[in-house]
Amino acid sequence: MGNKIFLVLLVVGVPLSIIGSILHWPTILMFVVYCLTIIALASLMGRATESLAIVMGPRIGGLLNATFGNAVELIISIFSLKAGLLGVVLASLTGSVLGNLLLVAGLSFFVGGTKFKRQTFNVFDARHNAGLLIFAIGLAFVIPEVFTQNMSHNRTMSLSVGISIILIFLYLAALFFKLVTHRGVYQPTEKTKQVEHEEEVPEWSKKTAIAVLFGATLIVAYISEKLVHTFSIVGETFGWSELFIGVIIVAIVGNAAEHASAILMAYKNKMDVAVEIAVGSTLQVAMFVAPVLVLISLFFPINMPLIFTLPELIAMVTAVLLIIMISNDGESNWFEGLTLLAAYVIMGIGFYLL
Amino acid sequence: MGNKIFLVLLVVGVPLSIIGSILHWPTILMFVVYCLTIIALASLMGRATESLAIVMGPRIGGLLNATFGNAVELIISIFSLKAGLLGVVLASLTGSVLGNLLLVAGLSFFVGGTKFKRQTFNVFDARHNAGLLIFAIGLAFVIPEVFTQNMSHNRTMSLSVGISIILIFLYLAALFFKLVTHRGVYQPTEKTKQVEHEEEVPEWSKKTAIAVLFGATLIVAYISEKLVHTFSIVGETFGWSELFIGVIIVAIVGNAAEHASAILMAYKNKMDVAVEIAVGSTLQVAMFVAPVLVLISLFFPINMPLIFTLPELIAMVTAVLLIIMISNDGESNWFEGLTLLAAYVIMGIGFYLL
Amino acid sequence: MGNKIFLVLLVVGVPLSIIGSILHWPTILMFVVYCLTIIALASLMGRATESLAIVMGPRIGGLLNATFGNAVELIISIFSLKAGLLGVVLASLTGSVLGNLLLVAGLSFFVGGTKFKRQTFNVFDARHNAGLLIFAIGLAFVIPEVFTQNMSHNRTMSLSVGISIILIFLYLAALFFKLVTHRGVYQPTEKTKQVEHEEEVPEWSKKTAIAVLFGATLIVAYISEKLVHTFSIVGETFGWSELFIGVIIVAIVGNAAEHASAILMAYKNKMDVAVEIAVGSTLQVAMFVAPVLVLISLFFPINMPLIFTLPELIAMVTAVLLIIMISNDGESNWFEGLTLLAAYVIMGIGFYLL
């Protein structure tokens, strides 16, 4: 089955990636090796997360997944920040948001929808997430763009730092809300779900799953860093701009873990987990990864303000409006998935031609 | 009754339109004759559509209506495109969107609301349409506006063509979704509706209705073309800009068919059909007529990019947000209709003064 | 209890405010005295409104509250208009909108949410208000901004006047809708509510409550005017710009009445009244106070167009989208309140640094 193919890819890909990076094999070849290996590792992480999700419930499972997907991204971005590549960092943040909201959610809805006519997920979570998407991307990212048009660099950084602190604070408050004060308050009334879960047997024990998750994350981080250094040559070879690589390529490869496991969950009709991965991961990027990077940049020679380019910002805002309109009823089908994918293709063409 | 008045208008108007256009009667007089005749023809088309809607169900009826309304528009736009009048084409597309979303839906809600306290329509369709409105107008029309600000003409056309192909593809996928894979899936549970329909007797047979529909469409197309050529003189006489004529006058007269039958349906409390006409027609303009015109323009000396002026774009986006906010609950009343009409008047004043 | 503290503040604050203003005591001292006295008066108005709300039902109570809160604002703005301070007037309108939507609603949701896990309010009213917020702020305020970029002053004023008349007309129509044609049509089905109200005993009789409300309004108006004249010196002392004072300080002090009574209502789990105060007051500012000021300015030497600065407009539009996303389900909790407050703080920092 699919798992065996991924296992072969893994057993072959990880050593090849390490040997090839040390022996400086041709860049385009290594680019392909890295990408395939990361996708195989993502499959492994998906299986580990699934085991954990069964043991610990869909919400914690989804959070774990989002965390492990974005740990990689945070590490890559810190290296880029250190090198002063602010544009690449902001582009890959944009790409993560678009990739999660349009590509991951789109594929989940579409693939799940080819098997099931109507799939449902927790409508309370969908609305909670919709509010936070509007807050983080529709307000906290938009305000500095408009307010700093005639502002000095110092004041721009003050506003960016202020907004970053508020974003992180509200992100932590949201975790407190979901896991402590309102844990289980907004559960759907049907009990079918719990029965479903009780019947399932996790593939791995909790310990094994966690060990696999950590191990795979480390290897993904190692390979991702190597991958990033192939981008400039790949870009030259194929005629891709830095913005396009940041927004599209980094998003697809860097979020492969989320992609794989979200789609897997959708195919198994566990839409709560699939949506939590796609939207939860977006919120983590917007409310945690992005502001943390702004704060970390204060320790580097070049500070990063929370100011995206106008195309990046408009792409994110319209993606947020689209996903909210589509997911706000707590239902999905193949056509809603196709709509999100069509939006992703439009943005892809746009960033390619920019 | 009303039907008799329209019949007289028709029997007098059609010959007068033809004779007057051949004998070159005064332009302002002919402008009035053309408008009244088209409105009378629209009434005829409305009755034919209603007969068909009873025979074939509200959804197909609504689609038919939208199709026949926009066939006229497509033909006029192709002639304008051939003459290189890109601004008029884009303005009349804008006018169709605004006219359908604000004027047709507004009049339907208002007129229906004066008779019924609360009117309901299929909330699943409303949400499905809301997603597509955001996709087509809030995203596919907005992205090229922002992304092409510093782009060469060739790349602007590439982006326009790419987005146009995606829009047409998704429009066809939406038809496949509604008519094949999910036909009848999102029906309200009440059976009252079907009972209602069974009781109704269509005015004309299916054959007669189709014949009337085709015949009237041909005559409307003929007169519409004549009407367009009166616009420049009417504009000079009344001090109206080309933009205002395109956005407001073309929209009202060119969409008179939808106006008449949507309002008729609303008055008969068939809100499903009324909303399908207003919003379905908007989606057909945005996802089919507009992108097809972009592709057709490739065969003409002057290519048309999918770039509206900023006032046109903002007017359409705000109209989309308003109709979504008002229709998303599957209910309407006279005040919601009045709100839409007030928005239309604001846009009208704006385009008049622009 | 709290009432006693406010009573002391009142008995001391009102005479001090009058004496201090006549004897020209130090400005910063008087600024503090005025603020505290207004807040004490607001508490009194809150109690009177609550008594009236019990007697006359939550909706009329909420309307009354919004009216008395904005009467003060209207008076101050007319004086500012007369002095030609258009920027301050528009800034304080913006501040009222932001203060009501983010600060008042945010505090209500947060404070109410610390006591109750989930609070509910009439979802029909929430949707009705959402439509009007999009109409007034997302459309009627946005259109002139975009359409007048290359427009002459005369045409800009024509558009502003036209939109103002439509806004006032629709505001009156909304009152007619709520109080006449659809009074009680959109009531939740549960009867618990009415039982709850019947059990409550108003603190004051209808006559006393009205007398207190009128008296307090007059004193608030008197002190507010004195307060405004301290702003320039306070601004110089603390380094606050006129925009910041208009948007933030005027909003907090000028709307203290709404703040106090909305939060009081939320704490008593009367969310219908709390939301009616916050959103109803916003709508009154946007659909009545703002357009009336545009029309009144026609009689003054300097006419005021309905054109906000871009930061003001974007702040209002994003605030509207956020409150709609959060309130559209007819439910609130402490985290939703915190989200609104976080948005208010972001705007506060933005306007401070602008």
Side-chain angles (χ1 to χ4, degrees), chain B residues 240-307:
Chain B
W240 296 341
S241 70
E242 269 203 334
L243 192 69
F244 178 73
I245 290 175
V247 172
I248 303 298
I249 305 300
V250 171
I252 291 179
V253 177
N255 291 293
E258 278 104 333
H259 296 213
S261 52
I263 295 156
L264 200 69
M265 293 296 175
Y267 193 72
K268 297 193 170 186
N269 208 18
K270 295 188 201 170
M271 291 309 283
D272 278 337
V273 187
V275 172
E276 182 62 41
I277 293 171
V279 181
S281 183
T282 306
L283 288 174
Q284 205 185 26
V285 168
M287 299 183 71
F288 189 76
V289 177
V292 160
L293 289 171
V294 169
L295 296 183
I296 288 176
S297 83
L298 296 177
F299 300 100
F300 291 136
I302 302 177
N303 302 337
M304 184 176 80
L306 197 60
I307 315 269

Side-chain angles (χ1 to χ4, degrees), chain A residues 51-109:
Chain A
S51 292
L52 273 181
I54 293 170
V55 179
M56 306 182 68
R59 193 166 292 151
I60 308 280
L63 274 175
L64 276 173
N65 210 315
T67 311
F68 282 95
N70 291 317
V72 178
E73 198 165 5
L74 191 58
I75 294 166
I76 301 175
S77 291
I78 291 175
F79 282 112
S80 305
L81 215 55
K82 211 175 163 186
L85 303 167
L86 304 192
V88 174
V89 174
L90 289 168
S92 76
L93 290 170
T94 304
S96 275
V97 167
L98 297 179
N100 279 303
L101 287 186
L102 300 179
L103 187 59
V104 178
L107 280 173
S108 298
F109 287 4

Side-chain angles (χ1 to χ4, degrees), chain A residues 15-334:
Chain A
L16 271 188
S17 297
I18 297 173
I19 296 168
S21 74
I22 294 170
L23 299 183
H24 296 291
W25 289 0
T27 311
I28 304 296
L29 171 71
M30 290 316 296
F31 171 76
V32 177
V33 171
Y34 294 148
C35 287
L36 291 175
T37 310
I38 288 178
I39 289 164
L41 282 160
S43 146
L44 198 71
M45 291 174 72
R47 282 159 65 197
T49 311
E50 204 196 347
S51 292
L52 273 181
I54 293 170
V55 179
M56 306 182 68
R59 193 166 292 151
I60 308 280
L63 274 175
L64 276 173
N65 210 315
T67 311
F68 282 95
N70 291 317
V72 178
E73 198 165 5
L74 191 58
I75 294 166
I76 301 175
S77 291
I78 291 175
F79 282 112
S80 305
L81 215 55
K82 211 175 163 186
L85 303 167
L86 304 192
V88 174
V89 174
L90 289 168
S92 76
L93 290 170
T94 304
S96 275
V97 167
L98 297 179
N100 279 303
L101 287 186
L102 300 179
L103 187 59
V104 178
L107 280 173
S108 298
F109 287 4
F110 184 75
V111 170
T114 57
K115 205 175 161 196
F116 303 95
K117 207 148 219 168
R118 292 168 78 169
Q119 295 187 293
T120 58
F121 41 90
N122 191 325
V123 74
F124 294 108
D125 281 352
R127 284 180 189 152
H128 173 82
N129 287 336
L132 286 178
L133 285 173
I134 287 286
F135 173 79
I137 294 169
L139 194 148
F141 284 7
V142 168
I143 291 294
E145 187 93 7
V146 177
F147 278 61
T148 61
Q149 274 173 358
N150 301 311
M151 215 180 249
S152 70
H153 175 70
N154 277 351
R155 287 188 164 226
T156 300
M157 277 313 297
S158 299
L159 183 58
S160 298
V161 168
I163 291 176
S164 296
I165 291 168
I166 292 166
L167 279 168
I168 294 169
F169 168 75
L170 201 71
Y171 183 70
L172 297 176
L175 287 180
F176 185 69
F177 174 79
K178 274 176 104 170
L179 301 175
V180 183
T181 70
H182 282 62
R183 184 182 187 127
V185 170
Y186 294 106
Q187 286 303 316
T189 43
E190 316 131 36
K191 290 190 181 173
T192 1
K193 226 165 217 175
Q194 292 161 338
V195 178
E196 229 176 73
H197 276 268
E198 284 173 65
E199 283 169 9
E200 279 181 315
V201 180
E203 187 183 8
W204 294 319
S205 73
K206 195 172 163 182
K207 270 190 189 170
T208 312
I210 291 176
V212 169
L213 218 47
F214 271 99
T217 302
L218 283 182
I219 307 177
V220 165
Y222 174 83
I223 299 179
S224 296
E225 213 216 321
K226 299 295 171 192
L227 179 72
V228 169
H229 290 103
T230 67
F231 284 159
S232 63
I233 286 163
V234 169
E236 275 174 39
T237 310
F238 294 109
W240 296 342
S241 71
E242 268 203 335
L243 192 69
F244 178 72
I245 290 174
V247 172
I248 303 298
I249 305 298
V250 171
I252 291 179
V253 177
N255 291 294
E258 278 103 333
H259 296 212
S261 52
I263 295 157
L264 201 69
M265 293 295 175
Y267 193 72
K268 296 191 172 187
N269 209 18
K270 296 189 198 167
M271 292 308 286
D272 279 337
V273 188
V275 172
E276 182 63 41
I277 292 171
V279 181
S281 182
T282 305
L283 288 173
Q284 205 186 25
V285 168
M287 299 183 71
F288 189 75
V289 176
V292 159
L293 288 171
V294 169
L295 296 183
I296 287 177
S297 82
L298 296 176
F299 300 100
F300 292 136
I302 303 178
N303 301 338
M304 184 176 81
L306 197 61
I307 315 270
F308 293 88
T309 64
L310 195 62
E312 287 172 338
L313 188 70
I314 295 293
M316 285 191 283
V317 170
T318 55
V320 162
L321 289 179
L322 185 64
I323 190 83
I324 287 176
M325 212 53 74
I326 279 179
S327 69
N328 226 10
D329 58 354
E331 274 206 28
S332 68
N333 54 53
W334 70 263

Side-chain angles (χ1 to χ4, degrees), chain C residues 238-260:
Chain C
F238 295 109
W240 295 341
S241 70
E242 268 202 334
L243 191 69
F244 178 73
I245 290 174
V247 172
I248 303 298
I249 305 299
V250 172
I252 290 178
V253 177
N255 290 294
E258 278 103 333
H259 296 212

Side-chain angles (χ1 to χ4, degrees), chain C residues 139-154:
Chain C
L139 195 148
F141 284 7
V142 168
I143 292 294
E145 188 93 7
V146 177
F147 277 62
T148 61
Q149 275 173 357
N150 301 311
M151 216 182 249
S152 69
H153 176 72
N154 277 351

